[in-house]
Amino acid sequence: NEGPAIQGSFGWSKDFNAGGQKINAFASAWASNVDFSDGDNAHIEIDYSGGLGTEIGGVSLEAFAIYYNYPNSRDALNYDYIEAGGGVGYDFGVASVGGQFYWSPDFFGGIGDAYYIAGDVSVPLPYKFSIDGHVGYQIFDNAGSTDYVDWSISVTRNILGFDLSLAYVDTDLSTAECGGSLCDARAVFTVSKSF
């Protein structure tokens, strides 16, 4: 709802060998304040995720699952949902690229099956800057829901141990399709710190 968000995450990972192949197991929890402006009492989103990853010939592969939880939201709203998916990536040196696929058997709001296909590219720039691009396509089986494309471009730099990022984020949804201006283009400034 155009307000600031405070977000945090905790992560764990462990490498092990399976048949001579190095495998990475990982899990994390991420949380943020939210405001859907719908009169509901859900003010927090907590995402729990876990999966496995490996690298073959320089190509990174991973499979994962994510549970999106909105504590204290009314059960009838069906906000909570699960996604499962996979990703592939490769670092060319001058740029790294990646792609992901997500599937949910019952997406946010209880609208049924949904699929998300995404691609990302990150290019290192001089003076420790990087530029990142993202494009995704959200697909719904529910005929009453509108499929859409989202995209973003951002510039990031680490300063004194903090990652500063300025992003432009947009979708191809019209005002009518989105029920107002919620899907209009946005500039998002992020300050993050890893420990």
Side-chain angles (χ1 to χ4, degrees):
N1 197 29
E2 298 187 320
I6 298 175
Q7 304 172 343
S9 64
F10 295 94
W12 167 89
S13 67
K14 177 71 174 178
D15 291 332
F16 63 93
N17 286 308
Q21 180 67 36
K22 183 179 177 181
I23 306 292
N24 175 253
F26 56 88
S28 68
W30 175 94
S32 175
N33 58 302
V34 295
D35 183 0
F36 297 132
S37 294
D38 57 2
D40 186 45
N41 57 356
H43 300 291
I44 298 173
E45 175 183 335
I46 305 175
D47 302 345
Y48 304 95
S49 63
L52 298 172
T54 191
E55 185 175 296
I56 300 174
V59 177
S60 62
L61 304 167
E62 66 177 19
F64 51 79
I66 309 168
Y67 174 57
Y68 300 84
N69 177 233
Y70 299 86
N72 300 318
S73 63
R74 296 193 299 273
D75 290 341
L77 294 173
N78 291 312
Y79 279 172
D80 296 357
Y81 68 102
I82 294 173
E83 279 185 325
V88 59
Y90 189 81
D91 190 345
F92 292 93
V94 295
S96 59
V97 297
Q100 305 88 39
F101 173 78
Y102 299 77
W103 165 71
S104 174
D106 194 14
F107 196 67
F108 182 84
I111 63 172
D113 283 86
Y115 313 89
Y116 186 69
I117 303 165
D120 298 275
V121 61
S122 179
V123 179
L125 299 175
Y127 304 105
K128 300 182 181 180
F129 284 92
S130 68
I131 186 167
D132 304 285
H134 167 87
V135 62
Y137 183 37
Q138 182 71 67
I139 306 164
F140 303 104
D141 276 354
N142 188 325
S145 301
T146 304
D147 299 346
Y148 66 91
V149 176
D150 71 277
W151 62 89
S152 67
I153 186 166
S154 61
V155 175
T156 302
R157 191 185 192 284
N158 185 283
I159 298 178
L160 299 176
F162 291 88
D163 290 320
L164 308 182
S165 175
L166 181 62
Y168 170 87
V169 183
D170 201 359
T171 77
D172 68 344
L173 287 168
S174 67
T175 300
E177 291 170 325
C178 201
S181 63
L182 290 178
C183 297
D184 287 351
R186 294 285 190 270
V188 180
F189 179 63
T190 305
V191 180
S192 61
K193 171 71 174 176
S194 297
F195 300 94

